[in-house]
Structures are given as C-alpha cells and as structure tokens.
C-alpha cells in the first residue's frame, strides 16, 4: 500500500498527532522542528494531525512553530519555549514508529465491519484521493459499512468523486459529525 510507513507525510501527521496527544497531559503543547517543512505541510496534514491529537489528548489546542498562524512570531515562540522547559518532551523516531505500529496493528482473526471517514469532515481533496485509491476495484465487501461525514457544500463540489465513492458503497452523512451519530449523541439534542 501507499502508506505502509510513517515516512509518508500522509501517515506521519496522524501518527504524530496521536503520539503528541498522548504526551500532552492536558497541557497546550507547542511542537517545534517543522519550520523547514512549511512548504510541504498541507491543510490536510494539519487536519489529520489535529483529529488524531484529539483522540488521545485532552488539550483543546496545539501550536506548531512556524506553521500554525498564532505560532509564527519568533519573540512569542521564544517566550513559549522559555516558559515550557519544565514540560519539554522530545519525540524520537522510535516513538513515532512504535505509535505507527500500534495504530497499524491488526489481528487477522478480527473482522472490520465499519470504516469511518471524515473525522473531521472529508475535504474535496480527500474524496479525490479516496476515489483514486478505489479506481478499478470491485465494490466494497457487503459485510463492511463505509460511512463518511462531509458538509453538503463540499459534497456537491466533490462530484464526480463522490459518485464513484457511492458506487463503491460509501454512505455519506452530510452536515454532522461522528459525535452526533452515537446513540445517544455526545451533544444532547435539547
């Protein structure tokens, strides 16, 4: 497959987000060391990072030096660095690989019955990538449900990719998120 290693940027950011969420201990972290990558990091990478960060972290925010808008000012970054020396954690390559291995592990005896996409909402670019990934493939297995959350506006913009995905068996849920699909929903209806 395309992303069999954390070395792919598409795999790196959700892996790093998951790891950073685990390490943040409820504090608002500042991630440094990506400034030289700013021309390669996309909104999709940041979205994947934040979605994974949110699954393991309890902080509502993260700063990425030189990448996120609030973390561009060098004087502010220096102040943050000076204020955060007590809670500094260095992420090593082996930490990323261990996290990737944990996330990528499977037991052949376990059956997949649901694939959830759009956490947060799918973008047009993600629909296009997914449509390319399934190109020439038979329809999904009948025992597997693939559900995707996407805004109505982007759903309309993503045609004909959405059509290919629906033909493959993807079910789209518009203008809501996974927290509202739970029974009962995370956010009460009243």
């Amino acid at each position: 497959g395309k992303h069999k290693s954390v070395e792919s940027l598409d795999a790196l950011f959700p892996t790093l987000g998951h790891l950073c969420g685990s390490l943040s201990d409820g504090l608002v972290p500042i991630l440094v060391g990506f400034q030289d990558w700013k021309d390669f990091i996309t909104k999709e990478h940041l979205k994947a990072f934040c979605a994974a960060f949110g699954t393991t972290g309890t902080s509502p925010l993260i700063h990425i030096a030189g990448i996120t808008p609030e973390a561009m000012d060098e004087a502010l970054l220096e102040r943050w660095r000076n204020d955060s020396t007590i809670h500094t954690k260095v992420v090593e390559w082996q930490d990323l690989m261990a996290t990737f291995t944990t996330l990528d592990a499977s037991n052949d005896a376990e059956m997949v019955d649901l694939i959830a996409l759009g956490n947060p909402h799918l973008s047009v670019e993600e629909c296009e990538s997914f449509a390319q990934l399934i190109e020439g493939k038979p329809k999904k297995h009948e025992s597997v449900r693939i559900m995707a959350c996407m805004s109505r506006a982007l759903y309309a913009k993503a045609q004909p990719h959405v059509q290919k995905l629906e033909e493959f068996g993807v079910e789209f849920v518009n203008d809501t998120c996974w927290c509202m699909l739970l029974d009962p929903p995370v956010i009460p209806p009243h």
Side-chain angles (χ1 to χ4, degrees), residues 92-105:
E92 301 284 345
W93 188 251
Q94 61 266 23
D95 301 323
L96 284 169
M97 290 307 299
T99 300
F100 181 82
T101 301
T102 298
L103 293 171
D104 194 48

Side-chain angles (χ1 to χ4, degrees), residues 13-23 49 52-53 55-56 99 102-103:
F13 283 93
T15 304
L16 184 62
H18 189 277
L19 178 58
C20 287
S22 299
L23 296 174
F49 177 95
F53 179 83
T55 64
T56 57
T99 300
T102 298
L103 293 171

Side-chain angles (χ1 to χ4, degrees), residues 23-25 27-32 62-63 65 74-90:
L23 296 174
S24 66
D25 297 328
L27 300 172
V28 176
I30 179 163
L31 187 61
V32 297
I62 184 162
H63 306 292
E74 279 300 321
L76 180 60
L77 290 172
E78 188 61 32
R79 193 177 88 224
W80 285 348
R81 281 187 200 104
N82 292 337
D83 291 346
S84 67
T85 55
I86 295 172
H87 302 288
T88 300
K89 295 180 182 177
V90 176

Side-chain angles (χ1 to χ4, degrees), residues 109-165:
E110 293 179 39
M111 293 296 298
V112 173
D113 57 2
L114 173 67
I115 299 171
L117 303 170
N119 305 305
H121 286 188
L122 281 177
S123 67
V124 172
E125 294 82 6
E126 288 169 319
C127 281
E128 180 179 10
S129 294
F130 190 29
Q132 289 172 357
L133 188 65
I134 63 167
E135 188 76 37
K137 303 269 193 302
K139 190 172 178 169
K140 66 152 186 82
H141 192 279
E142 63 187 32
S143 68
V144 177
R145 195 169 181 193
I146 304 175
M147 296 182 69
C149 292
M150 187 175 202
S151 76
R152 199 174 331 183
L154 291 183
Y155 177 86
K157 274 185 172 179
Q159 299 293 338
H161 308 301
V162 165
Q163 182 180 347
K164 288 179 187 175
L165 295 173

